[in-house]
Amino acid sequence: MQIRAAVTRQAGQFSIEPVDLDEPQADEVLVRLVATGMCHTDLVALDQHLPYPLPAILGHEGVGIVERTGPQASVLRPGDHVVLSFAACGHCGPCQSGRPAYCQTARQLNLAVRRPDGRCAHHAAGQPVSAGFFGQSSFASHALVRERDAVRVRKDVPLAALAPLGCSVQTGAGGVLNVLKPAAGSSIAIFGLGAVGLSALMAARLAGCARIIAIDLHASRLDMATEFGATDLLKVDDTSSAARVQTLIPGGVDFAVEATGIPAVMAEAVAATHRTGISLMLGLPPPTAKIPLDAGLLLGGRTIRASIEGDSVPALFIPQLVDLQRTGQLPFDRMCRTYPLDAINEAVRDCREGGTVKPIITMDPA
């Protein structure tokens, strides 16, 4: 069948093209996409800092409706509403112990460019196109995904509103709710108010944190943080954000969440906690980056944690997040702005400039 897709043929640019897509095989399902969130990881791959082979179809926060299933698919049915998430094998030790984000074959599965048998399912102008980015390549009208990487959700919530769940919201909210698990009355500092940071902030309010310190460069994002429950705002300047946090809460916060991936900010997050505090790293730094930490910070009992995808089991956590959004307890849809597929390059520009926190790319109806 022929679909429409945003194809990356050169770094930094999408072009909208017709692409020929194979029918679902084995345990694959064909999903007609309604919308896809744009995530920082997509931009890293678009710029080729994450060297995904070109030409390629990116996108890894897809939501849509199942149209057809392969012969080995046994759970999903045509008409099911689904949120697509990261790929995991389901069989290795981490997967079996409920930690699929740490799947032993995660890198191979999430950066796959072809089917497991080596055949290419996507072609444009008669040439193969890399697809299978985070198990989905969802900047397109349709996607082929393995059944286990699609989560069925209730049908009484608009699908486009759920697009951030596949990665950014489950990373930020899961980092707080699944990893830190702050007690009511705790204090927390959030460094970086992109979609991950704001999701962490909303989750901190949901958990009952009494002091929620929001830290960012952009005044508009700080204003949004107030709407989502921040009690204190710090606009980044030439002084140490950690020192300013320590002024607000002498001794430091119980928890810090770092959502920028900038090594110097990661060090600030650690320094913002008290002597037995916990800092959680959710941002994606360059692979060879070094964190400029003062070793003395660790000797008092501080803990540094990192988390992938909020340590979530998508099939369990995503439906919980849908319920929280539906009841207004986790209003992540309020940080989103929609763009049609044809305006995807405009969405990239607005995201880079900081004017849009979470772009949602909507697809033309089938």
Side-chain angles (χ1 to χ4, degrees), residues 99 102 175 179-180 258 266 278-283 285 291 303-311:
R99 307 189 77 195
Y102 305 98
V179 181
L180 296 180
E258 199 292 320
M266 297 168 81
I278 302 173
S279 50
L280 180 65
M281 306 299 159
L282 299 180
I291 304 175
T303 299
I304 302 175
R305 273 287 319 262
S307 173
I308 299 174
E309 300 287 354
D311 280 29

Side-chain angles (χ1 to χ4, degrees), residues 205-206 322-334:
R205 181 184 64 175
L206 185 64
V322 173
D323 289 342
L324 291 170
Q325 188 272 344
R326 182 174 176 271
T327 57
Q329 297 177 80
L330 204 71
F332 52 81
D333 51 300
R334 286 163 49 191

